[in-house]
Amino acid sequence: MKLTNCLECGNLCVESLTNLCPKCMRAEEDAEERVAEYLRNIARASVEEIHQATGVKHRVILRMLKRGRLFTDAIISYPCETCGAPITEGRVCNSCNRNIVSQLKPAAEEWKPEKRPESVRKDEQMYTKDMIQQKR
Ligand SMILES: [Zn+2]
Ligand SMILES: [Zn+2]
């Protein structure tokens, strides 16, 4: 049996799937019930709205979501991990996702324009020839 610190209160407890001590586990089950009760008559809610209605802490609600503990048909939105915009799946919103992709792009594109410097050089050569011809 391994010991760990309770995720909520930091007291030593037996390591488990939840890593919560018995006291906090009971509180969490309680919170789950309250949240489930609230979501029963609702189609869509944000973590903030659930928090306002039930008093359950944001991170507890997020933990429930991540663990799939909320059996509900309601669409629950939670903040994007990067910008805080409301999202309903994944960890970041679409625009942050695009940003992450575009931040990765330049490094990949450095390998592409191999022919460009050559054509620039040709233009320069033609330009200097023209200038020489003009001088003659
Ligand atoms: Zn605890
Ligand atoms: Zn975002």
Side-chain angles (χ1 to χ4, degrees):
M1 229 162 39
K2 261 174 95 180
L3 289 177
T4 186
N5 289 97
C6 169
L7 269 179
E8 268 308 304
C9 68
N11 282 344
L12 268 184
C13 64
V14 178
E15 200 177 66
S16 67
L17 268 176
T18 56
N19 281 343
L20 292 170
C21 72
K23 197 178 115 237
C24 292
M25 193 61 223
R26 256 198 308 280
E28 181 124 332
E29 279 165 3
D30 228 57
E32 274 169 22
E33 259 173 52
R34 257 183 295 160
V35 172
E37 184 67 33
Y38 168 68
L39 291 172
R40 198 164 291 166
N41 307 308
I42 249 162
R44 208 186 172 98
S46 66
V47 169
E48 177 61 28
E49 281 164 349
I50 298 171
H51 166 71
Q52 295 286 338
T54 62
V56 178
K57 280 182 236 162
H58 287 73
R59 64 190 179 108
V60 175
I61 300 167
L62 288 172
R63 202 157 62 213
M64 288 178 201
L65 274 172
K66 277 179 192 157
R67 263 198 266 132
R69 290 298 298 254
L70 293 176
F71 301 106
T72 174
D73 292 330
I75 298 162
I76 300 160
S77 58
Y78 48 94
C80 160
E81 285 187 9
T82 307
C83 73
I87 52 172
T88 55
E89 57 178 12
R91 296 174 64 177
V92 296
C93 69
N94 282 337
S95 69
C96 287
N97 208 14
R98 266 200 301 275
N99 278 346
I100 293 165
V101 171
S102 66
Q103 270 166 22
L104 295 174
K105 244 187 189 168
E109 268 179 3
E110 270 176 43
W111 298 97
K112 264 200 239 163
E114 271 172 36
K115 286 189 176 168
R116 209 184 292 157
E118 211 180 324
S119 68
V120 168
R121 236 177 289 139
K122 263 181 201 158
D123 286 349
E124 274 170 4
Q125 279 169 5
M126 277 163 66
Y127 186 58
T128 42
K129 264 183 208 160
D130 282 351
M131 279 175 58
I132 293 164
Q133 275 166 8
Q134 273 172 13
K135 270 182 192 169
R136 277 176 188 170

